[in-house]
Amino acid sequence: MAEQQYTVASDSETTGEEKSSSAFPEIAIGIDVGTSQCSVSVWNGSQVELLKNTRNQKLMRSYVTFKDEVPSGGVSNQLSHEYEILSGAAIFNMKRLIGRVDTDPVVHASKRLPFLVQTLDIGVRPFIAALVKNAWRSTTPEEVLAIFLVELRAMAEVQLKRPIRNVVLTIPVSFSRFQLTRIERACAMAGLHVLRLMPEPTAVALLYAQQQQQTIHENMGSGSEKNALIFNMGAGYCDVAVTATAGGVSQIKALAGAAIGGEDILQNMMQHLLPNSENLFLNHGINEIKSLGLLRVATEDAIHRLSSQSSVRVDVDLGNGSKICKVVTREEFEEANQKVFEKCESLITQCLRDSKVDIGDLTDVILVGGCSYIPKIRNVVKGVCKREELYEAINPLEAAVCGAALEGAVASGVSDPFGSLDLLTIQATPLGIGIRADGNSFVPIIPRNTTMPARKELLFTTIHDNQTEALILVYEGEGTQVEENHLLGYFKVVGIPAAPKGVPEINVCMDIDASNALRVFAGVVMQGTDQPMAPFLEVRLPTVDDGHGWCAEALNKTYGSTLDLVTVQKKM
Amino acid sequence: MRCYGLMIPGSETTRFHPSQLKYDPNPILRVKPATRIPIGSFRSKATINAKLTSELGQMSFYELLSIPESGKLPDIKQAYKQLARKYHPDVSPPGQVEEYTQRFIRVQEAYETLSDPRSREIYDRDMARGLHLAFSSRKRYPHQNDEEMEERTVWKNRWQSQLSELKRRSTNMDAGGSMSWAARMRRQREGWSEEL
């Protein structure tokens, strides 16, 4: 079978929803597209198996090189040298770029990567480009991800000898619903249908639930509830989850996450080694890219060695007349990354608090992801959870993809005679969802860590006399002010009967269904009866497309507060 | 006339008066008639949902979880996990996802209320008084002390921000209108830090 048999559809093309309605169940594969590395796994009938590429690798680098007319990715491509990725021709870290606007600090930090990331700071998609034959050729994070997914798909099809369509993808906890639509778009471009998007630690939680289930079977032990904290930190993101497991059911009690990871640690260390390194790449010259690539490789290597050594020597000639010859100690490393470690600590604390599980009631603490090898990270996790030992029975680099494959098998309706697939994940919302009201405040209707599926409603009222219309701006996030959150969409409720301010009641109801689709219902209700005055509006979100950074400001410019709402404080 | 700025008319501030924000120890006053029709019933599958709603609405949380009223926390947890395996939409037969979703949401509600000692106590007290409340009574049953505290803090902050906005408006009545949104936001933030 030829490997390059799929082409990627244009990003501007709308892909129709093709629901798989075939009679035979196709086992969905699990894919973990990491910021740095990626892996694919599948339920093979008795257990989860990781697929290997032609070079016998289970973990593949996540990047796409635009060298010739046909771009090639880290699945099939044979690298002559690590530096090839850093020559400007390759795009990587797409997971840190996808679905982000050019005002996002994560996008700004990505400007120090050895390819072109350009921002106009107006809230649109950033411009990214790879160096091809001495010209910057533009692409999009979705397109890069799609090219990469096509390679993964081809690899899986060759090995499994069947067409692949359904996938379970793992995602960071902190991804907004808008970012999820971009991941789905990339999958659609690659001809894949997303069965589930699973926050990474919840995939690990499912694997843990399966392991606990098996232990009970083997030892005839009690099936009592076990609480586990899962800390996952890769190159791009850090996620935390607390799960309560019993009888193969993994109930996600709380989630927390942030766009912080190995990439930040790497950039901090590059800055530490070469204090003006952020200026090194301002002009995007070929020699500068080369220097940056050399510095990147040397720094990465030093960080890896610092996991086992207390000090390392960095000796690198950047080729532009500057040489770095330095001994870096672990203390220096930890000091340069102090903020990163503090953030990790606060995420764990927040997640534990939200879960309402006492540290003493945690059965296991599970540490996974590429950064789990860093001694300081291990100490932070152990320290906050007040324990000496971490859970060992899990491969830190393969846990998430294995969980995704389990979910893929369960969601495809596969059952196992030995009960290995008698599993269920009860997911929770990683971010709050609400609307703008009470001035510029974000008023959550479905709070963070609400069990899904969910349905919640809240009453609002007008702020002006005889106000007949109200603007509903739906946001997702944790900030108290709307501008700290992600805008998901907006619409207008009309036909509010003329009445003094504060009298009409506008009901806004949010519904997350079994397939994690979000719908918002809004309408005016008759005072005191809860009966709708007119047909309700039903809006499936997110509705925003690229350039949504503009929308909130444009709406505000046009309408000011004329169509605002405030929450109703019920008379007690 | 278009009015810019975050206007909160004076009369409305009574709604945000802190004295009303205190937790009312008597939950009875918060209770609304249990005849509330969920919005779901306005949708196409109205008949099924309405039937299910009334059917499940008759059951107490204990009945929903199939546990005795004397059930302890481990019993509640176990019952919840068993029912989740039965009613979670992920395990629903094809074509019955919506019904299972509704059932699961109710089981979830029962579990959340009964697994928290505080909200369970309130619920039990209401049951004893003959008040029958099942689904959608969550709003009237704050689960947790800290959640309630959080809610109060949020309200207090909202009230304060509304008040500070009023103050600002009275000192420079029309200044907000010609300012850009960003400028207004900045100003608002500055104002807060001064006043807090």
Side-chain angles (χ1 to χ4, degrees):
Chain A
M1 244 191 260
E3 281 214 353
Q4 292 288 342
Q5 55 181 319
Y6 297 102
T7 50
V8 171
S10 155
D11 184 26
S12 56
E13 216 168 81
T14 37
T15 324
E17 184 78 343
E18 279 177 62
K19 283 277 177 219
S20 61
S21 53
S22 63
F24 59 94
E26 171 206 323
I27 302 180
I29 60 169
I31 302 181
D32 175 21
V33 189
T35 307
S36 155
Q37 281 185 321
C38 149
S39 49
V40 183
S41 66
V42 68
W43 176 258
N44 69 6
S46 57
Q47 58 180 5
V48 171
E49 185 187 334
L50 262 77
L51 302 184
K52 291 176 183 168
N53 68 3
T54 46
R55 279 164 292 136
N56 215 25
Q57 294 172 311
K58 287 197 281 190
L59 300 171
M60 293 150 271
R61 288 290 298 268
S62 308
Y63 71 91
V64 168
T65 311
F66 292 79
K67 211 161 41 179
D68 311 301
E69 285 314 303
V70 189
S72 64
V75 182
S76 61
N77 196 21
Q78 179 76 59
L79 279 180
S80 54
H81 198 277
E82 175 75 15
Y83 299 117
E84 202 182 299
I85 305 185
L86 308 171
S87 64
I91 307 262
F92 54 96
N93 277 18
M94 43 263 194
K95 210 166 157 191
R96 292 258 280 195
L97 291 164
I98 196 157
R100 290 188 188 274
V101 290
D102 64 356
T103 43
D104 194 318
V106 178
V107 173
H108 279 258
S110 302
K111 283 176 162 178
R112 281 169 245 167
L113 296 175
F115 55 87
L116 191 62
V117 178
Q118 230 179 48
T119 60
L120 293 167
D121 302 316
I122 54 168
V124 295
R125 182 161 66 183
F127 178 88
I128 66 167
L131 191 61
V132 186
K133 293 181 185 136
N134 226 9
W136 288 109
R137 183 186 291 172
S138 85
T139 179
T140 63
E142 290 86 346
E143 188 182 52
V144 176
L145 185 59
I147 293 167
F148 191 72
L149 286 168
V150 162
E151 286 204 348
L152 286 179
R153 180 184 175 190
M155 177 193 102
E157 292 192 342
V158 168
Q159 286 185 42
L160 301 174
K161 299 185 180 66
R162 64 173 169 96
I164 301 288
R165 182 157 166 76
N166 292 338
V167 291
V168 171
L169 235 74
T170 60
I171 44 149
V173 166
S174 59
F175 261 24
S176 74
R177 283 175 177 268
F178 175 70
Q179 284 174 299
L180 300 190
T181 66
R182 306 323 293 167
I183 295 277
E184 278 169 352
R185 162 62 64 85
C187 287
M189 286 161 77
L192 295 169
H193 174 245
V194 175
L195 209 57
R196 289 267 197 293
L197 290 175
M198 223 184 168
E200 272 152 47
T202 72
V204 179
L206 188 61
L207 181 65
Y208 173 74
Q210 194 213 28
Q211 290 183 344
Q212 296 312 305
Q213 180 80 327
Q214 281 174 346
T215 318
I216 290 162
H217 282 311
E218 281 159 22
N219 301 341
M220 306 298 264
S222 71
S224 66
E225 191 175 70
K226 286 182 177 170
N227 294 310
L229 180 131
I230 295 152
F231 181 92
N232 167 48
M233 190 169 178
Y237 294 88
C238 176
D239 311 299
V240 192
V242 172
T243 177
T245 297
V249 179
S250 164
Q251 180 196 359
I252 304 301
K253 293 260 190 181
L255 292 167
I260 192 157
E263 177 65 34
D264 300 286
I265 292 175
L266 178 60
Q267 291 198 4
N268 288 341
M269 281 316 277
M270 282 164 67
Q271 187 72 15
H272 178 77
L273 288 168
L274 190 70
N276 62 347
S277 68
E278 78 268 27
N279 301 324
L280 192 66
F281 197 47
L282 286 178
N283 300 321
H284 290 93
I286 293 194
N287 289 333
E288 291 166 325
I289 294 171
K290 200 178 164 211
S291 303
L292 195 77
L294 289 164
L295 178 62
R296 217 183 145 84
V297 171
T299 312
E300 213 166 52
D301 177 59
I303 294 171
H304 288 162
R305 284 189 289 146
L306 276 173
S307 286
S308 53
Q309 291 164 241
S310 58
S311 74
V312 295
R313 186 174 189 83
V314 181
D315 205 340
V316 58
D317 184 352
L318 298 180
N320 57 356
S322 64
K323 269 185 188 173
I324 297 173
C325 196
K326 245 183 193 171
V327 172
V328 186
T329 64
R330 198 181 275 174
E331 286 70 37
E332 282 174 69
F333 167 78
E334 288 172 5
E335 203 183 305
N337 290 297
Q338 201 191 339
K339 286 217 168 78
V340 174
F341 301 130
E342 279 168 7
K343 182 71 194 174
C344 295
E345 201 170 322
S346 76
L347 285 172
I348 304 172
T349 313
Q350 179 200 321
C351 194
L352 275 168
R353 196 179 51 226
D354 287 358
S355 72
K356 292 165 187 140
V357 171
D358 281 342
I359 291 174
D361 292 334
L362 286 175
T363 313
D364 288 303
V365 175
I366 305 168
L367 180 56
V368 294
C371 290
S372 62
Y373 295 103
I374 298 173
K376 179 71 181 177
I377 295 280
R378 301 181 74 84
N379 289 340
V380 164
V381 175
K382 282 181 188 167
V384 182
C385 299
K386 294 197 175 63
R387 58 180 56 224
E388 301 293 312
E389 297 299 322
L390 298 167
Y391 187 72
E392 294 292 341
I394 228 163
N395 180 327
L397 300 181
E398 297 174 1
V401 77
C402 289
L406 284 177
E407 179 75 11
V410 173
S412 306
V414 182
S415 60
D416 177 67
F418 301 105
S420 301
L421 290 178
D422 258 355
L423 303 169
L424 177 69
T425 307
I426 303 172
Q427 292 281 4
T429 51
L431 299 166
I433 306 164
I435 69 165
R436 173 179 177 269
D438 302 343
N440 219 34
S441 296
F442 170 67
V443 179
I445 294 176
I446 296 185
R448 173 177 78 206
N449 295 323
T450 301
T451 297
M452 296 193 283
R455 171 178 284 237
K456 304 223 172 200
E457 58 192 340
L458 214 59
L459 282 179
F460 295 87
T461 190
T462 52
I463 68 159
H464 302 292
D465 290 335
N466 300 324
Q467 182 182 336
T468 56
E469 299 183 337
L471 200 54
I472 310 284
L473 274 80
V474 182
Y475 285 88
E476 184 182 40
E478 292 312 316
T480 53
Q481 298 296 295
V482 288
E483 57 267 29
E484 300 161 47
N485 301 297
H486 312 276
L487 180 68
L488 295 180
Y490 42 86
F491 56 92
K492 198 164 74 172
V493 171
V494 298
I496 303 170
K501 65 195 167 222
V503 172
E505 290 193 340
I506 292 117
N507 184 321
V508 180
C509 174
M510 296 198 170
D511 179 290
I512 300 173
D513 71 10
S515 52
N516 194 22
L518 170 69
R519 275 171 309 177
V520 177
F521 306 86
V524 191
V525 288
M526 305 261 269
Q527 190 93 45
T529 64
D530 295 321
Q531 295 287 351
M533 309 250 333
F536 269 62
L537 284 170
E538 176 181 335
V539 185
R540 200 183 154 132
L541 292 160
T543 55
V544 288
D545 210 332
D546 282 319
H548 56 279
W550 289 92
C551 300
E553 200 155 344
L555 286 166
N556 215 288
K557 219 169 167 181
T558 313
Y559 298 103
S561 70
T562 49
L563 306 183
D564 271 15
L565 291 174
V566 290
T567 42
V568 171
Q569 176 77 341
K570 279 279 170 202
K571 302 247 177 348
M572 291 176 186
Chain B
M1 193 199 84
R2 192 166 273 167
C3 52
Y4 294 96
L6 303 157
M7 194 178 102
I8 301 299
S11 62
E12 292 206 349
T13 54
T14 52
R15 171 177 298 152
F16 301 99
H17 197 273
S19 68
Q20 295 201 352
L21 296 171
K22 279 184 191 140
Y23 172 62
D24 190 332
N26 186 354
I28 298 303
L29 295 178
R30 297 172 157 212
V31 170
K32 284 181 73 183
T35 50
R36 175 178 205 95
I37 300 166
I39 295 173
S41 56
F42 301 125
R43 289 168 52 216
S44 56
K45 302 210 168 148
T47 47
I48 309 169
N49 288 358
K51 191 165 162 270
L52 193 70
T53 305
S54 63
E55 183 190 308
L56 295 172
Q58 301 298 315
M59 296 165 82
S60 78
F61 285 162
Y62 293 100
E63 285 164 343
L64 268 168
L65 294 180
S66 315
I67 52 162
E69 279 172 39
S70 56
K72 297 272 185 293
L73 189 58
D75 305 326
I76 293 166
K77 284 183 176 176
Q78 200 185 358
Y80 167 68
K81 292 237 158 66
Q82 272 169 1
L83 287 168
R85 294 198 66 132
K86 202 166 155 191
Y87 290 132
H88 193 279
D90 277 7
V91 293
S92 76
Q96 280 176 271
V97 177
E98 205 155 324
E99 189 196 322
Y100 273 60
T101 302
Q102 284 222 19
R103 283 186 185 272
F104 177 73
I105 290 177
R106 280 160 176 75
V107 167
Q108 181 68 32
E109 168 109 29
Y111 162 75
E112 278 177 20
T113 306
L114 299 186
S115 63
D116 177 66
R118 211 187 138 83
S119 58
R120 184 177 174 180
E121 192 188 319
I122 298 170
Y123 180 79
D124 287 348
R125 207 162 57 198
D126 283 356
M127 289 258 296
R129 290 184 191 185
L131 265 162
H132 184 73
L133 286 155
F135 188 52
S136 284
S137 49
R138 179 183 322 224
K139 272 168 281 182
R140 283 141 253 155
Y141 288 104
H143 314 304
Q144 291 270 326
N145 223 355
D146 58 1
E147 197 170 304
E148 196 184 298
M149 285 302 293
E150 214 170 82
E151 223 171 85
R152 279 161 65 182
T153 326
V154 169
W155 277 104
K156 188 157 177 257
N157 287 343
R158 267 184 214 149
W159 169 74
Q160 275 175 338
S161 69
Q162 311 252 347
L163 201 70
S164 62
E165 189 57 39
L166 268 177
K167 271 192 214 158
R168 192 170 308 108
R169 279 194 68 82
S170 58
T171 47
N172 40 142
M173 280 302 284
D174 293 312
S178 54
M179 280 161 81
S180 79
W181 181 57
R184 242 186 309 125
M185 289 299 100
R186 270 196 298 278
R187 184 174 179 152
Q188 196 181 344
R189 267 199 288 266
E190 279 159 19
W192 278 344
S193 50
E194 276 167 31
E195 282 159 24
L196 289 179

